[in-house]
Amino acid sequence: MYPKSLILAAAVVLLPGCDLLEKQELAIPTADEAAAFYEQHPGIDTVQVRGNVIEVRVRQPADQLRRGGSLWAKVGPYIYAFSPSTRDVFSAFPGVAAVRVVTLAGRGESEVARVMLRRDALSDIMWQRAHNLLGHALQSGTQQPRRIEELVRWGEQHTEYEYQPEYVH
């Protein structure tokens, strides 16, 4: 009888706490709310909400793609995916499962690259590392291309990515 009374006692103690297990409301932003997070970034074409994924479409200057070649084609989406804006979106809206960044060539609709960063892909420490790599790439990437390469490698390890062969050989 001892095991039954132990189970009964555990049930009496734990059942009132079941209310605490209710699911948190998983808020998802409107397209305008999502766009507000990225408004300070240059080159943003559109920000859309597709289900529980935010899609950020960015225009990458054609001269940048010509001069920088494959490396610049690859790094484009990571600049936005690893930005503080993306982390802020995840913090503000628990229902957002991922942020997808799509880069477009110049004024056209030709897709250069796309990456998808899932909400749970980076821990707090890994976000700090991502911001560090992003800062180095933005600050000294032109003079030290290895800084851009480091950001691309990090991105390829932590996102789902696709590069268009027309831009990445």
Side-chain angles (χ1 to χ4, degrees):
M1 289 301 251
Y2 178 73
K4 285 184 183 177
S5 61
L6 185 60
I7 292 171
L8 181 60
V12 168
V13 171
L14 295 176
L15 280 177
C18 287
D19 290 344
L20 300 175
L21 297 177
E22 287 184 30
K23 291 187 178 183
Q24 171 186 14
E25 183 179 331
L26 300 178
I28 296 175
T30 65
D32 289 340
E33 289 171 329
F37 284 88
Y38 294 93
E39 66 189 3
Q40 78 277 11
H41 295 281
I44 298 290
D45 188 49
T46 61
V47 178
Q48 298 176 326
V49 178
R50 298 178 183 273
N52 60 356
V53 175
I54 294 174
E55 183 174 281
V56 180
R57 296 176 74 78
V58 182
R59 299 239 169 245
Q60 195 165 358
D63 65 317
Q64 189 182 76
L65 293 168
R66 269 192 307 276
R67 286 182 293 145
S70 292
L71 183 58
W72 282 85
K74 287 180 180 181
V75 79
Y78 298 118
I79 290 170
Y80 300 89
F82 293 129
S83 73
S85 299
T86 298
R87 188 173 188 190
D88 292 345
V89 165
F90 286 143
S91 295
F93 293 97
V96 174
V99 171
R100 178 184 305 117
V101 180
V102 179
T103 51
L104 305 169
R107 295 188 180 118
E109 289 301 314
S110 179
E111 188 174 305
V112 176
R114 66 173 46 224
V115 302
M116 186 162 63
L117 178 64
R118 295 191 182 281
R119 163 184 287 288
D120 60 355
L122 301 177
S123 66
D124 288 342
I125 291 172
M126 291 173 74
W127 266 111
Q128 290 173 9
R129 177 73 175 137
H131 290 160
N132 187 359
L133 290 167
L134 176 61
H136 284 299
L138 291 173
Q139 184 135 34
S140 59
T142 303
Q143 296 82 20
Q144 298 175 338
R146 75 177 168 81
R147 296 298 193 173
I148 295 172
E149 290 169 354
E150 290 169 349
L151 181 60
V152 169
R153 271 195 306 273
W154 179 263
E156 290 174 346
Q157 291 171 357
H158 299 287
T159 66
E160 296 172 23
Y161 63 93
E162 182 180 341
Y163 308 126
Q164 296 304 316
E166 178 182 346
Y167 297 96
V168 177
H169 313 297

